[in-house]
mmCIF file of all heavy atoms in Angstrom:
data_model
loop_
_atom_site.group_PDB
_atom_site.id
_atom_site.type_symbol
_atom_site.label_atom_id
_atom_site.label_comp_id
_atom_site.label_asym_id
_atom_site.label_seq_id
_atom_site.Cartn_x
_atom_site.Cartn_y
_atom_site.Cartn_z
ATOM 1 N N ALA A 63 -32.891 -10.509 -7.329
ATOM 2 C CA ALA A 63 -32.251 -11.815 -7.193
ATOM 3 C C ALA A 63 -32.983 -12.600 -6.096
ATOM 4 O O ALA A 63 -33.907 -12.076 -5.463
ATOM 5 C CB ALA A 63 -30.767 -11.649 -6.838
ATOM 6 N N SER A 64 -32.551 -13.835 -5.886
ATOM 7 C CA SER A 64 -33.217 -14.705 -4.911
ATOM 8 C C SER A 64 -32.198 -15.245 -3.905
ATOM 9 O O SER A 64 -31.030 -15.452 -4.242
ATOM 10 C CB SER A 64 -33.843 -15.910 -5.630
ATOM 11 O OG SER A 64 -34.638 -15.470 -6.700
ATOM 12 N N GLY A 65 -32.672 -15.516 -2.691
ATOM 13 C CA GLY A 65 -31.851 -16.199 -1.671
ATOM 14 C C GLY A 65 -30.534 -15.496 -1.410
ATOM 15 O O GLY A 65 -30.468 -14.268 -1.239
ATOM 16 N N SER A 66 -29.467 -16.279 -1.396
ATOM 17 C CA SER A 66 -28.140 -15.711 -1.122
ATOM 18 C C SER A 66 -27.760 -14.661 -2.156
ATOM 19 O O SER A 66 -27.097 -13.660 -1.828
ATOM 20 C CB SER A 66 -27.072 -16.815 -1.148
ATOM 21 O OG SER A 66 -27.275 -17.685 -0.075
ATOM 22 N N SER A 67 -28.177 -14.864 -3.392
ATOM 23 C CA SER A 67 -27.836 -13.887 -4.439
ATOM 24 C C SER A 67 -28.472 -12.536 -4.127
ATOM 25 O O SER A 67 -27.883 -11.486 -4.386
ATOM 26 C CB SER A 67 -28.299 -14.382 -5.817
ATOM 27 O OG SER A 67 -27.551 -15.508 -6.200
ATOM 28 N N ARG A 68 -29.676 -12.543 -3.545
ATOM 29 C CA ARG A 68 -30.294 -11.259 -3.153
ATOM 30 C C ARG A 68 -29.507 -10.633 -1.995
ATOM 31 O O ARG A 68 -29.308 -9.420 -1.954
ATOM 32 C CB ARG A 68 -31.762 -11.446 -2.758
ATOM 33 C CG ARG A 68 -32.472 -10.106 -2.491
ATOM 34 C CD ARG A 68 -33.887 -10.308 -2.033
ATOM 35 N NE ARG A 68 -33.947 -10.929 -0.732
ATOM 36 C CZ ARG A 68 -34.070 -10.284 0.426
ATOM 37 N NH1 ARG A 68 -34.163 -8.966 0.449
ATOM 38 N NH2 ARG A 68 -34.094 -10.943 1.560
ATOM 39 N N HIS A 69 -29.032 -11.472 -1.066
ATOM 40 C CA HIS A 69 -28.224 -10.902 0.021
ATOM 41 C C HIS A 69 -26.968 -10.231 -0.542
ATOM 42 O O HIS A 69 -26.558 -9.162 -0.074
ATOM 43 C CB HIS A 69 -27.833 -11.991 1.028
ATOM 44 C CG HIS A 69 -29.023 -12.597 1.715
ATOM 45 N ND1 HIS A 69 -28.999 -13.848 2.280
ATOM 46 C CD2 HIS A 69 -30.285 -12.126 1.906
ATOM 47 C CE1 HIS A 69 -30.191 -14.110 2.802
ATOM 48 N NE2 HIS A 69 -30.981 -13.086 2.579
ATOM 49 N N LEU A 110 -28.621 -11.112 -10.281
ATOM 50 C CA LEU A 110 -27.531 -11.932 -9.736
ATOM 51 C C LEU A 110 -28.021 -13.363 -9.596
ATOM 52 O O LEU A 110 -29.114 -13.602 -9.063
ATOM 53 C CB LEU A 110 -27.169 -11.451 -8.333
ATOM 54 C CG LEU A 110 -26.412 -10.141 -8.225
ATOM 55 C CD1 LEU A 110 -26.673 -9.511 -6.872
ATOM 56 C CD2 LEU A 110 -24.925 -10.390 -8.396
ATOM 57 N N SER A 111 -27.208 -14.294 -10.041
ATOM 58 C CA SER A 111 -27.602 -15.699 -9.890
ATOM 59 C C SER A 111 -26.375 -16.585 -9.991
ATOM 60 O O SER A 111 -25.520 -16.374 -10.862
ATOM 61 C CB SER A 111 -28.603 -16.079 -10.990
ATOM 62 O OG SER A 111 -28.925 -17.441 -10.925
ATOM 63 N N GLN A 112 -26.265 -17.576 -9.107
ATOM 64 C CA GLN A 112 -25.200 -18.565 -9.244
ATOM 65 C C GLN A 112 -25.461 -19.392 -10.484
ATOM 66 O O GLN A 112 -24.626 -19.521 -11.353
ATOM 67 C CB GLN A 112 -25.168 -19.445 -7.991
ATOM 68 C CG GLN A 112 -24.018 -20.437 -7.872
ATOM 69 C CD GLN A 112 -24.053 -21.624 -8.829
ATOM 70 O OE1 GLN A 112 -23.050 -21.882 -9.526
ATOM 71 N NE2 GLN A 112 -25.154 -22.325 -8.927
ATOM 72 N N SER A 113 -26.685 -19.952 -10.556
ATOM 73 C CA SER A 113 -26.998 -20.969 -11.567
ATOM 74 C C SER A 113 -27.378 -20.394 -12.924
ATOM 75 O O SER A 113 -27.157 -21.034 -13.956
ATOM 76 C CB SER A 113 -28.163 -21.822 -11.061
ATOM 77 O OG SER A 113 -29.315 -20.995 -10.890
ATOM 78 N N GLY A 114 -28.013 -19.231 -12.914
ATOM 79 C CA GLY A 114 -28.546 -18.677 -14.165
ATOM 80 C C GLY A 114 -29.812 -19.372 -14.620
ATOM 81 O O GLY A 114 -30.323 -19.104 -15.710
ATOM 82 N N THR A 115 -30.334 -20.272 -13.780
ATOM 83 C CA THR A 115 -31.552 -21.006 -14.170
ATOM 84 C C THR A 115 -32.715 -20.737 -13.223
ATOM 85 O O THR A 115 -33.772 -21.349 -13.373
ATOM 86 C CB THR A 115 -31.282 -22.539 -14.203
ATOM 87 O OG1 THR A 115 -30.720 -22.914 -12.941
ATOM 88 C CG2 THR A 115 -30.348 -22.920 -15.321
ATOM 89 N N THR A 116 -32.549 -19.848 -12.250
ATOM 90 C CA THR A 116 -33.621 -19.569 -11.286
ATOM 91 C C THR A 116 -34.778 -18.869 -12.001
ATOM 92 O O THR A 116 -34.610 -17.753 -12.521
ATOM 93 C CB THR A 116 -33.078 -18.686 -10.141
ATOM 94 O OG1 THR A 116 -31.987 -19.394 -9.544
ATOM 95 C CG2 THR A 116 -34.142 -18.396 -9.095
ATOM 96 N N ILE A 117 -35.932 -19.520 -12.027
ATOM 97 C CA ILE A 117 -37.037 -19.016 -12.855
ATOM 98 C C ILE A 117 -37.498 -17.632 -12.402
ATOM 99 O O ILE A 117 -37.821 -16.780 -13.239
ATOM 100 C CB ILE A 117 -38.210 -20.044 -12.900
ATOM 101 C CG1 ILE A 117 -39.202 -19.680 -14.005
ATOM 102 C CG2 ILE A 117 -38.916 -20.178 -11.579
ATOM 103 C CD1 ILE A 117 -38.732 -19.945 -15.382
ATOM 104 N N THR A 119 -35.746 -15.227 -11.172
ATOM 105 C CA THR A 119 -34.775 -14.212 -11.620
ATOM 106 C C THR A 119 -34.863 -14.019 -13.133
ATOM 107 O O THR A 119 -34.798 -12.890 -13.635
ATOM 108 C CB THR A 119 -33.356 -14.616 -11.163
ATOM 109 O OG1 THR A 119 -33.427 -14.980 -9.778
ATOM 110 C CG2 THR A 119 -32.364 -13.493 -11.325
ATOM 111 N N LEU A 144 -30.437 -17.111 -18.122
ATOM 112 C CA LEU A 144 -30.298 -15.740 -17.606
ATOM 113 C C LEU A 144 -29.298 -14.947 -18.450
ATOM 114 O O LEU A 144 -29.597 -13.842 -18.912
ATOM 115 C CB LEU A 144 -29.859 -15.749 -16.136
ATOM 116 C CG LEU A 144 -29.935 -14.383 -15.460
ATOM 117 C CD1 LEU A 144 -31.376 -14.013 -15.114
ATOM 118 C CD2 LEU A 144 -29.095 -14.327 -14.187
ATOM 119 N N GLU A 159 -20.188 -25.180 -8.266
ATOM 120 C CA GLU A 159 -20.602 -25.240 -6.855
ATOM 121 C C GLU A 159 -21.572 -26.404 -6.731
ATOM 122 O O GLU A 159 -22.682 -26.350 -7.260
ATOM 123 C CB GLU A 159 -21.258 -23.915 -6.449
ATOM 124 C CG GLU A 159 -21.406 -23.741 -4.953
ATOM 125 C CD GLU A 159 -21.928 -22.341 -4.612
ATOM 126 O OE1 GLU A 159 -23.069 -22.031 -5.015
ATOM 127 O OE2 GLU A 159 -21.207 -21.579 -3.965
ATOM 128 N N ALA A 161 -22.377 -28.211 -3.618
ATOM 129 C CA ALA A 161 -23.230 -28.164 -2.417
ATOM 130 C C ALA A 161 -24.417 -27.240 -2.684
ATOM 131 O O ALA A 161 -24.288 -26.246 -3.401
ATOM 132 C CB ALA A 161 -22.427 -27.648 -1.227
ATOM 133 N N ILE A 162 -25.559 -27.576 -2.083
ATOM 134 C CA ILE A 162 -26.743 -26.722 -2.277
ATOM 135 C C ILE A 162 -26.476 -25.317 -1.717
ATOM 136 O O ILE A 162 -26.868 -24.319 -2.311
ATOM 137 C CB ILE A 162 -27.975 -27.349 -1.557
ATOM 138 C CG1 ILE A 162 -28.329 -28.693 -2.184
ATOM 139 C CG2 ILE A 162 -29.141 -26.373 -1.534
ATOM 140 C CD1 ILE A 162 -29.198 -28.652 -3.391
ATOM 141 N N ALA A 163 -25.840 -25.249 -0.561
ATOM 142 C CA ALA A 163 -25.635 -23.940 0.080
ATOM 143 C C ALA A 163 -24.631 -23.110 -0.717
ATOM 144 O O ALA A 163 -23.525 -23.564 -1.025
ATOM 145 C CB ALA A 163 -25.133 -24.135 1.506
ATOM 146 N N ALA A 164 -25.028 -21.908 -1.040
ATOM 147 C CA ALA A 164 -24.140 -21.006 -1.779
ATOM 148 C C ALA A 164 -23.012 -20.523 -0.858
ATOM 149 O O ALA A 164 -23.290 -20.037 0.244
ATOM 150 C CB ALA A 164 -24.936 -19.811 -2.291
ATOM 151 N N THR A 165 -21.781 -20.660 -1.281
ATOM 152 C CA THR A 165 -20.648 -20.145 -0.488
ATOM 153 C C THR A 165 -19.708 -19.351 -1.405
ATOM 154 O O THR A 165 -19.736 -18.127 -1.402
ATOM 155 C CB THR A 165 -19.883 -21.278 0.228
ATOM 156 O OG1 THR A 165 -19.480 -22.269 -0.738
ATOM 157 C CG2 THR A 165 -20.724 -21.897 1.337
ATOM 158 N N SER A 167 -19.947 -18.976 -4.533
ATOM 159 C CA SER A 167 -20.683 -18.148 -5.509
ATOM 160 C C SER A 167 -21.039 -16.812 -4.866
ATOM 161 O O SER A 167 -21.069 -15.775 -5.536
ATOM 162 C CB SER A 167 -21.937 -18.857 -6.012
ATOM 163 O OG SER A 167 -22.840 -19.106 -4.947
ATOM 164 N N GLN A 171 -19.708 -13.145 -6.036
ATOM 165 C CA GLN A 171 -20.703 -12.116 -6.415
ATOM 166 C C GLN A 171 -20.379 -10.796 -5.724
ATOM 167 O O GLN A 171 -20.440 -9.723 -6.338
ATOM 168 C CB GLN A 171 -22.117 -12.541 -5.982
ATOM 169 C CG GLN A 171 -22.757 -13.598 -6.866
ATOM 170 C CD GLN A 171 -24.059 -14.136 -6.273
ATOM 171 O OE1 GLN A 171 -24.309 -14.007 -5.072
ATOM 172 N NE2 GLN A 171 -24.873 -14.756 -7.100
ATOM 173 N N GLU A 244 -27.569 -13.516 5.629
ATOM 174 C CA GLU A 244 -26.925 -14.641 4.949
ATOM 175 C C GLU A 244 -26.480 -15.708 5.964
ATOM 176 O O GLU A 244 -26.649 -16.903 5.717
ATOM 177 C CB GLU A 244 -25.732 -14.126 4.120
ATOM 178 C CG GLU A 244 -24.896 -15.176 3.412
ATOM 179 C CD GLU A 244 -25.653 -16.001 2.371
ATOM 180 O OE1 GLU A 244 -26.810 -15.683 2.055
ATOM 181 O OE2 GLU A 244 -25.068 -17.001 1.918
ATOM 182 N N LEU A 247 -29.553 -17.554 6.979
ATOM 183 C CA LEU A 247 -30.030 -18.438 5.896
ATOM 184 C C LEU A 247 -29.172 -19.701 5.828
ATOM 185 O O LEU A 247 -29.689 -20.818 5.705
ATOM 186 C CB LEU A 247 -30.011 -17.697 4.549
ATOM 187 C CG LEU A 247 -30.414 -18.535 3.321
ATOM 188 C CD1 LEU A 247 -31.853 -19.038 3.414
ATOM 189 C CD2 LEU A 247 -30.235 -17.737 2.032
ATOM 190 N N LYS A 248 -27.831 -19.528 5.939
ATOM 191 C CA LYS A 248 -26.940 -20.696 5.886
ATOM 192 C C LYS A 248 -27.315 -21.675 6.983
ATOM 193 O O LYS A 248 -27.414 -22.876 6.759
ATOM 194 C CB LYS A 248 -25.464 -20.307 6.069
ATOM 195 C CG LYS A 248 -24.767 -19.591 4.967
ATOM 196 C CD LYS A 248 -24.449 -20.436 3.748
ATOM 197 C CE LYS A 248 -25.606 -20.443 2.799
ATOM 198 N NZ LYS A 248 -25.585 -19.518 1.701
ATOM 199 N N GLU A 251 -30.908 -23.371 6.369
ATOM 200 C CA GLU A 251 -31.076 -24.284 5.237
ATOM 201 C C GLU A 251 -30.314 -25.600 5.408
ATOM 202 O O GLU A 251 -30.772 -26.616 4.915
ATOM 203 C CB GLU A 251 -30.740 -23.608 3.902
ATOM 204 C CG GLU A 251 -29.284 -23.353 3.662
ATOM 205 C CD GLU A 251 -29.004 -22.701 2.308
ATOM 206 O OE1 GLU A 251 -29.701 -22.984 1.340
ATOM 207 O OE2 GLU A 251 -28.064 -21.913 2.236
ATOM 208 N N ILE A 252 -29.189 -25.587 6.112
ATOM 209 C CA ILE A 252 -28.454 -26.864 6.192
ATOM 210 C C ILE A 252 -28.602 -27.568 7.539
ATOM 211 O O ILE A 252 -28.341 -28.762 7.632
ATOM 212 C CB ILE A 252 -26.954 -26.729 5.816
ATOM 213 C CG1 ILE A 252 -26.221 -25.750 6.749
ATOM 214 C CG2 ILE A 252 -26.794 -26.336 4.355
ATOM 215 C CD1 ILE A 252 -24.714 -25.816 6.571
ATOM 216 N N LEU A 371 -34.565 -28.900 -0.846
ATOM 217 C CA LEU A 371 -33.886 -27.828 -1.597
ATOM 218 C C LEU A 371 -33.209 -28.398 -2.844
ATOM 219 O O LEU A 371 -32.751 -29.541 -2.847
ATOM 220 C CB LEU A 371 -32.832 -27.148 -0.717
ATOM 221 C CG LEU A 371 -33.383 -26.277 0.411
ATOM 222 C CD1 LEU A 371 -32.268 -25.839 1.344
ATOM 223 C CD2 LEU A 371 -34.105 -25.064 -0.147
ATOM 224 N N SER A 372 -33.120 -27.563 -3.877
ATOM 225 C CA SER A 372 -32.385 -28.009 -5.055
ATOM 226 C C SER A 372 -31.496 -26.872 -5.554
ATOM 227 O O SER A 372 -31.733 -25.696 -5.257
ATOM 228 C CB SER A 372 -33.350 -28.509 -6.134
ATOM 229 O OG SER A 372 -33.592 -27.503 -7.060
ATOM 230 N N LYS A 373 -30.445 -27.244 -6.270
ATOM 231 C CA LYS A 373 -29.449 -26.243 -6.694
ATOM 232 C C LYS A 373 -30.023 -25.336 -7.782
ATOM 233 O O LYS A 373 -29.591 -24.209 -7.930
ATOM 234 C CB LYS A 373 -28.198 -26.983 -7.201
ATOM 235 C CG LYS A 373 -26.966 -26.126 -7.331
ATOM 236 C CD LYS A 373 -26.408 -25.696 -5.990
ATOM 237 C CE LYS A 373 -25.259 -24.734 -6.094
ATOM 238 N NZ LYS A 373 -25.095 -23.920 -4.867
ATOM 239 N N SER A 374 -30.986 -25.834 -8.506
ATOM 240 C CA SER A 374 -31.555 -25.033 -9.584
ATOM 241 C C SER A 374 -33.055 -24.950 -9.362
ATOM 242 O O SER A 374 -33.757 -25.959 -9.476
ATOM 243 C CB SER A 374 -31.223 -25.719 -10.911
ATOM 244 O OG SER A 374 -31.819 -25.033 -11.970
ATOM 245 N N VAL A 375 -33.550 -23.752 -9.001
ATOM 246 C CA VAL A 375 -34.970 -23.620 -8.640
ATOM 247 C C VAL A 375 -35.743 -23.170 -9.880
ATOM 248 O O VAL A 375 -35.846 -21.979 -10.186
ATOM 249 C CB VAL A 375 -35.156 -22.628 -7.464
ATOM 250 C CG1 VAL A 375 -36.620 -22.572 -7.037
ATOM 251 C CG2 VAL A 375 -34.293 -23.060 -6.275
HETATM 252 C C1 F6R B 1 -28.693 -20.373 -0.397
HETATM 253 C C2 F6R B 1 -29.052 -20.808 -1.729
HETATM 254 C C3 F6R B 1 -30.297 -20.238 -2.364
HETATM 255 C C4 F6R B 1 -29.916 -19.598 -3.691
HETATM 256 C C5 F6R B 1 -31.171 -19.125 -4.458
HETATM 257 C C6 F6R B 1 -30.813 -18.423 -5.736
HETATM 258 O O1 F6R B 1 -27.532 -20.978 0.058
HETATM 259 O O2 F6R B 1 -28.359 -21.568 -2.323
HETATM 260 O O3 F6R B 1 -30.914 -19.302 -1.533
HETATM 261 O O4 F6R B 1 -29.059 -18.525 -3.418
HETATM 262 O O5 F6R B 1 -32.008 -20.213 -4.727
HETATM 263 O O6 F6R B 1 -30.103 -19.255 -6.594
HETATM 264 P P1 F6R B 1 -29.273 -18.650 -7.787
HETATM 265 O O7 F6R B 1 -28.207 -17.806 -7.217
HETATM 266 O O8 F6R B 1 -28.749 -19.855 -8.522
HETATM 267 O O9 F6R B 1 -30.226 -17.847 -8.635
#
Side-chain angles (χ1 to χ4, degrees):
S64 309
S66 293
S67 293
R68 186 183 67 95
H69 297 157
L110 287 155
S111 176
Q112 187 289 128
S113 62
T115 53
T116 302
I117 193 73
T119 312
L144 190 76
E159 194 174 64
I162 296 275
T165 54
S167 62
Q171 283 171 340
E244 176 62 8
L247 177 62
K248 288 288 87 97
E251 72 179 326
I252 60 169
L371 289 171
S372 97
K373 195 70 186 157
S374 176
V375 184

